[in-house]
Amino acid sequence: MLTRIFPFLDPDMITHEFSERLISLAKDCAQLEHDVSFVEARLRTAPTLDLYVPLLTPLGLHLVGQVTQHPLLGTRKIITSQLWFADPEGRWARTLSRFYCLGRPADPDGREHITTTSLFTYDDRDLDGWPGDYD
């Protein structure tokens, strides 16, 4: 029953790419636990997300905003993959796919407009199931 409502829960949705994303996330998690300094090196090549707002979906918490220098998506409005960690000072965020440098948060009152009137590209690109084709 759960997999009919939430197809991403089905073990058949697991791909090598998804496993690699989880391994990378777990490694970063272990490093963050002991030493946050490695993040600075990651941010040198990370895309920047500007005018962003959080968005809660059935797949988790995401950020919606204007990305620049994304390695696959270039510069455009996106919805990130699931958000896992964020800098308490608001400088960076780690999603399932990658680190992002954070620019300016969007006006919270403009959230409805941002999420309903703009065209977005998902960072994980799979809206029907658990992210499969990653950036």
Side-chain angles (χ1 to χ4, degrees), residues 42-90:
R42 298 282 184 88
L43 295 181
R44 285 189 211 112
T45 58
T48 298
L49 192 63
D50 197 29
L51 298 173
Y52 62 90
V53 294
L55 177 67
L56 190 58
T57 74
L59 289 177
L61 182 62
H62 305 263
L63 293 176
V64 176
Q66 178 71 32
V67 72
T68 55
Q69 298 180 344
H70 191 286
L72 297 170
L73 302 175
T75 298
R76 63 175 59 157
K77 292 179 182 176
I78 67 165
I79 298 175
T80 67
S81 57
Q82 295 85 351
L83 184 62
W84 283 91
F85 306 106
D87 177 35
E89 296 180 24

Side-chain angles (χ1 to χ4, degrees), residues 107-129:
D107 176 6
D109 295 332
R111 180 179 180 165
E112 182 69 20
H113 172 74
I114 290 170
T115 58
T116 60
T117 62
S118 300
L119 296 176
F120 296 98
T121 303
Y122 274 84
D123 189 14
D124 48 27
R125 298 194 196 174
D126 185 357
L127 306 179
D128 295 325

